[in-house]
């Protein structure tokens, strides 16, 4: 079954251009100059129930705007969205009970109260049976490992603890579709891992459909089989993550560290220089030239250390988005 549908979804924003100074202020008031930003343009996709899909794109690409349209926070200027068969902006009570949104940079908990208080309110709002509530809460607390934190005032929690509690509060009602906008932003490596593991468990156990955005490639690589790339508001790729990197499957990166300073010019014979300083360099070579390039480097340069890597996903995306 299709859980999420976007059909030519578009959204633009009008902003009034402000000119500095008093004259500028008067002009802004009398003859406002409006500029249009097309945040999302003609984006179309289907997401099946139970899928985990990652939205990737540089800053300002339109990821958050898309999520806001899918969750009924923003109205599209053109096109249509359907989530679980309903138009998000209708925000029907029944529908709201089946979705959840977690925004990594927004606090959705009561600041001056312990997290448990927010959980209790959620229980009331969603009218969750108390036995069911306790079971669910225990499950969430255990997997996110915050048992000793939920009675602490939210304002005293660390960023990671707050994020985890925020997830708990959004998941108590067992939503069928979960939207996460940068759920691991600012978290340390251990917490990121914990959140990723948790989301995987959630998808396995609840068959919950998950749409997430993240700037951490690891989140996406480990959780999402499918990615949708958005750049300047437009969908530029939709498919399995493997397909993206497979275009670079026959390329390797030679990472060289030098014992003495080396000028960039000395590297040209080895391969295409991607980045270099006097102390180190990253050089692109095709897989069948790795042996030769390595030999040349060792022969001609004061090489202290050498490593051969495949092309990282970060680089693949950097290339794609710089086009
Ligand atoms: N309320 C608004 N008013 C005016 N412009 C907006 C508004 N919201 C978003 N925009 C613009 O729309 C574009 C897309 O923004 P959006 O927040 O969707 O990007 P994003 O992909 O989530 O970026 P990031 O990775 O930085 O979170 C940006 O150019 C942004 O400035
Ligand atoms: Mg965003």
């Amino acid at each position: 079954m299709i859980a999420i549908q976007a059909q030519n979804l578009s959204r633009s924003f009008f902003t009034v251009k402000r000119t500095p100074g008093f004259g500028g202020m008067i002009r802004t008031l009398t003859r406002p100059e409006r500029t249009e930003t097309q945040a999302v343009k003609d984006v179309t996709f289907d997401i099946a129930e139970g899928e985990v899909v990652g939205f990737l794109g540089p800053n300002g690409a339109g990821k958050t705007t898309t999520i806001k349209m899918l969750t009924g926070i923003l109205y599209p200027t053109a096109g249509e969205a359907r989530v679980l068969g309903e138009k998000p902006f209708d925000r029907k009570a029944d529908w709201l009970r089946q979705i959840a949104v977690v925004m990594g940079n927004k606090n959705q908990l009561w600041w001056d109260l312990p997290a448990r208080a927010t959980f209790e309110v959620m229980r009331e709002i969603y009218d969750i049976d108390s036995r069911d509530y306790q079971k669910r809460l225990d499950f969430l607390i255990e997997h996110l490992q915050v048992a000793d934190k939920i009675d602490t005032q939210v304002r005293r929690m660390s960023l990671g603890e707050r994020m985890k509690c925020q997830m708990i509060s959004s998941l108590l009602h067992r939503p069928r579709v979960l939207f996460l906008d940068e759920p691991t932003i600012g978290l340390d490596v251990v917490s990121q891992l914990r959140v990723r593991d948790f989301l995987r468990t959630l998808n396995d156990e609840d068959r919950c459909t998950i749409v997430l955005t993240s700037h951490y490639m690891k989140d996406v690589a480990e959780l999402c089989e499918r990615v949708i790339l958005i750049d300047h508001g437009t969908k530029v790729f939709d498919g399995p993550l493997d397909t993206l990197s497979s275009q670079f499957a026959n390329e390797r990166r030679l990472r060289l560290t030098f014992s003495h300073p080396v000028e960039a010019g000395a590297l040209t014979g080895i391969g295409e220089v991607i980045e270099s300083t006097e102390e180190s360099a990253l050089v692109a070579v095709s897989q069948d030239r790795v042996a030769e390039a390595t030999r040349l480097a060792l022969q001609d340069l004061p090489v202290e250390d050498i490593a051969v890597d495949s092309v990282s996903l970060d680089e693949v995306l950097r290339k794609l988005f710089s086009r």
Side-chain angles (χ1 to χ4, degrees):
M1 196 198 132
I2 291 174
I4 303 168
Q5 244 179 329
Q7 192 72 49
N8 304 105
L9 207 57
S10 307
R11 170 76 204 203
S12 36
F13 293 106
F14 285 98
T15 38
V16 174
K17 206 167 128 193
R18 287 180 199 285
T19 0
F22 183 72
M25 190 181 84
I26 300 292
R27 220 169 309 133
T28 306
L29 287 172
T30 51
R31 276 182 288 122
E33 199 184 317
R34 302 200 324 153
T35 47
E36 186 183 359
T37 317
Q38 276 244 298
V40 176
K41 290 177 233 173
D42 252 344
V43 169
T44 299
F45 56 79
D46 282 350
I47 294 174
E49 204 156 4
E51 259 193 296
V52 183
V53 178
F55 276 18
L56 289 179
N59 287 133
K63 305 177 297 292
T64 301
T65 307
T66 306
I67 290 203
K68 284 183 175 171
M69 288 191 282
L70 295 175
T71 50
I73 299 170
L74 273 178
Y75 197 78
T77 31
E80 197 181 77
R82 296 258 174 184
V83 175
L84 299 173
E86 301 286 348
K87 287 188 193 167
F89 208 76
D90 292 348
R91 295 185 77 81
K92 291 187 183 157
D94 260 1
W95 179 82
L96 285 169
R97 298 174 68 98
Q98 301 187 63
I99 71 149
V101 198
V102 177
M103 300 251 171
N105 54 5
K106 270 219 178 85
N107 176 47
Q108 298 165 319
L109 303 165
W110 249 299
W111 195 241
D112 292 310
L113 297 177
R116 192 189 288 276
T118 305
F119 302 162
E120 292 288 342
V121 172
M122 289 299 160
R123 186 180 79 79
E124 290 290 328
I125 289 178
Y126 292 111
D127 195 19
I128 307 167
D129 163 273
S130 56
R131 276 231 321 271
D132 205 29
Y133 169 78
Q134 201 51 54
K135 228 174 87 192
R136 181 71 171 171
L137 187 59
D138 290 345
F139 164 83
L140 295 170
I141 288 174
E142 189 201 317
H143 282 275
L144 286 165
Q145 300 206 325
V146 282
D148 53 342
K149 293 293 170 202
I150 67 164
D151 292 303
T152 311
Q153 227 182 358
V154 170
R155 60 190 303 165
R156 292 184 205 281
M157 285 183 183
S158 77
L159 187 67
E161 290 156 5
R162 217 181 299 145
M163 190 63 222
K164 290 172 194 165
C165 286
Q166 206 146 293
M167 283 195 188
I168 294 179
S169 105
S170 308
L171 288 165
L172 285 164
H173 64 294
R174 298 176 196 270
R176 282 167 65 198
V177 182
L178 172 62
F179 295 92
L180 301 151
D181 195 14
E182 302 191 38
T184 54
I185 194 164
L187 302 196
D188 67 34
V189 183
V190 178
S191 299
Q192 280 182 31
L193 199 78
R194 168 89 46 229
V195 168
R196 278 203 289 274
D197 277 349
F198 166 72
L199 291 175
R200 200 172 304 122
T201 308
L202 194 75
N203 177 249
D204 283 346
E205 300 214 346
D206 289 9
R207 291 292 297 147
C208 181
T209 309
I210 300 177
V211 173
L212 73 100
T213 77
S214 179
H215 286 287
Y216 300 112
M217 230 23 75
K218 273 225 146 127
D219 285 346
V220 179
E222 285 178 22
L223 278 172
C224 313
E225 279 178 15
R226 173 179 169 199
V227 292
I228 294 178
L229 301 193
I230 301 186
D231 195 13
H232 292 102
T234 312
K235 187 177 93 170
V236 291
F237 175 87
D238 182 353
L241 199 58
D242 306 341
T243 318
L244 265 184
S245 19
S246 68
Q247 316 170 35
F248 298 90
N250 294 324
E251 271 193 51
R252 292 294 178 272
R253 296 291 177 259
L254 224 57
R255 192 173 288 282
L256 304 165
T257 313
F258 309 122
S259 52
H260 311 300
V262 168
E263 278 180 35
L267 300 161
T268 43
I270 298 172
E272 185 199 335
V273 180
I274 295 178
E275 54 188 43
S276 75
T277 65
E278 287 197 333
E279 292 87 41
S280 67
L282 186 66
V283 185
V285 289
S286 62
Q287 190 191 14
D288 53 3
R289 276 204 65 244
V290 169
E292 194 202 340
T294 312
R295 190 182 57 75
L296 280 174
L298 291 171
Q299 174 190 300
D300 300 339
L301 303 166
V303 175
E304 189 178 76
D305 191 12
I306 191 163
V308 183
D309 295 321
S310 44
V311 182
S312 72
L313 198 57
D314 280 306
E315 197 190 324
V316 173
L317 293 174
R318 242 190 345 261
K319 279 196 166 164
L320 269 168
F321 292 138
S322 62
R323 268 184 209 157

